[in-house]
Amino acid sequence: MVHRIRYDYTDQNKMAAIKIAPSFLTADLARLADEVRAVEEAGADYLHLDVMDGHFVPPITFGALVVEAMRKVTRLPLDVHLMIERPERQIEAFAQAGSAILNVHAETCSHLHRVLQQIKALGCRAGVCLNPGTPLSAIKEALEEADQVMVMGVNPGWGGQSLLPNTLPKVRRLRALLDERGLTPDIEIDGGVKVHNAAACAQAGATVLVAGSAVFNDEASVGENMAALRQALAGVETRA
Ligand code: DX5
Ligand code: ZN
């Protein structure tokens, strides 16, 4: 059923059907607690934390210790994106660190179905991510176990890239597949989400938008950038 996104200027955070999850890759990491406060005040729904291991993706960012430190300075749910090999060896540490959603890449899991079950047994929501080059068929048999499916809009590793053209058609096909099966996990788009394409992402079927460089940049404040994203999503026809 298609219906209008519930949008209310008086309480944007609670009423918006589309969730915004700022990613901190382009934030000022020396002032992390201040940056967290800024996105909280601007009405972020989740904090999106990008964990990279230098193997699955070239850069190394941070691990469970930093997630635990972030947990202490916010009440927002932590949406933790594990861009790491062998994530099954790390999920317990990240769950204990206070992750609300633990997202693993299908490309890193020989036993995806079991890993998703293990994440839920640890009390977290289970997310599965797909690189741009990975087909939906890679997760088809494990969809029942997923609370969230993350479609990468860029090849992971760096913030500030442009949304790849195959992303929205893939999200539309995922939405159709989920509808066909009567499944309702969140669909998250990560990478390349900007003010100019946020509405199209929502219309394609996304329910969570990760925004890194669209939120943390030199052009405007975090508050102004978040407001511009909300404005772009106002009145968008979507499926919630
Ligand atoms: C990419 C990360 C994304 C990225 C998003 O590897 O997983 O979360 O930081 O940044 P933007 O929104 O700038 O593409
Ligand atoms: Zn991410």
Side-chain angles (χ1 to χ4, degrees):
M1 188 182 56
V2 177
H3 52 87
R4 287 189 76 78
I5 174 173
R6 287 178 301 140
Y7 189 83
D8 180 347
Y9 283 94
T10 60
D11 193 348
Q12 297 172 342
N13 192 21
K14 289 205 174 65
M15 296 304 288
I18 304 295
K19 296 185 182 71
I20 299 179
S23 152
F24 290 84
L25 279 191
T26 55
D28 182 351
L29 298 181
R31 298 174 40 254
L32 205 44
D34 295 337
E35 301 281 54
V36 169
R37 204 165 311 121
V39 293
E40 263 183 1
E41 281 169 11
D45 296 285
Y46 299 152
L47 303 186
H48 181 86
L49 304 183
D50 289 305
V51 177
M52 304 186 187
D53 67 352
H55 293 278
F56 179 62
V57 289
I60 299 174
T61 54
F62 51 80
L65 268 181
V66 171
V67 172
E68 195 177 341
M70 298 283 275
R71 169 74 290 154
K72 290 180 183 153
V73 295
T74 185
R75 289 195 177 162
L76 289 178
L78 303 182
D79 180 39
V80 176
H81 181 188
L82 296 179
M83 285 164 274
I84 63 175
E85 299 286 358
R86 308 277 311 270
E88 69 280 0
R89 294 189 300 185
Q90 298 287 338
I91 53 180
E92 194 169 345
F94 280 98
Q96 278 168 5
S99 308
I101 311 166
L102 270 179
N103 301 282
V104 294
H105 270 261
E107 302 84 4
T108 63
C109 294
S110 306
H111 299 283
L112 178 62
H113 192 276
R114 181 162 69 209
V115 173
L116 295 176
Q117 288 183 329
Q118 285 169 339
I119 291 171
K120 290 187 289 186
L122 290 164
C124 299
R125 283 165 61 79
V128 57
C129 322
L130 288 172
N131 277 342
T134 307
L136 291 176
S137 57
I139 59 168
K140 223 170 159 184
E141 304 303 327
L143 277 177
E144 270 81 2
E145 300 300 331
D147 296 308
Q148 175 163 285
V149 180
M150 183 196 297
V151 176
M152 292 305 301
V154 301
N155 285 298
W158 299 272
Q161 304 179 71
S162 299
L163 189 76
L164 289 167
N166 76 333
T167 311
L168 297 189
K170 191 174 185 180
V171 168
R172 279 184 213 107
R173 281 184 279 116
L174 172 61
R175 171 56 69 201
L177 179 66
L178 293 172
D179 284 353
E180 205 176 281
R181 304 255 295 266
L183 299 171
T184 57
D186 272 312
I187 298 180
E188 181 170 62
I189 300 183
D190 182 15
V193 174
K194 300 280 188 322
V195 169
H196 71 83
N197 60 26
C201 291
Q203 276 159 343
T207 52
V208 184
L209 300 181
V210 175
S213 52
V215 170
F216 296 104
N217 57 45
D218 293 335
E219 275 117 63
S221 71
V222 165
E224 287 162 345
N225 286 331
M226 285 288 291
L229 280 169
R230 291 283 184 213
Q231 183 65 39
L233 291 166
V236 171
E237 293 286 340
T238 189
R239 309 168 71 116

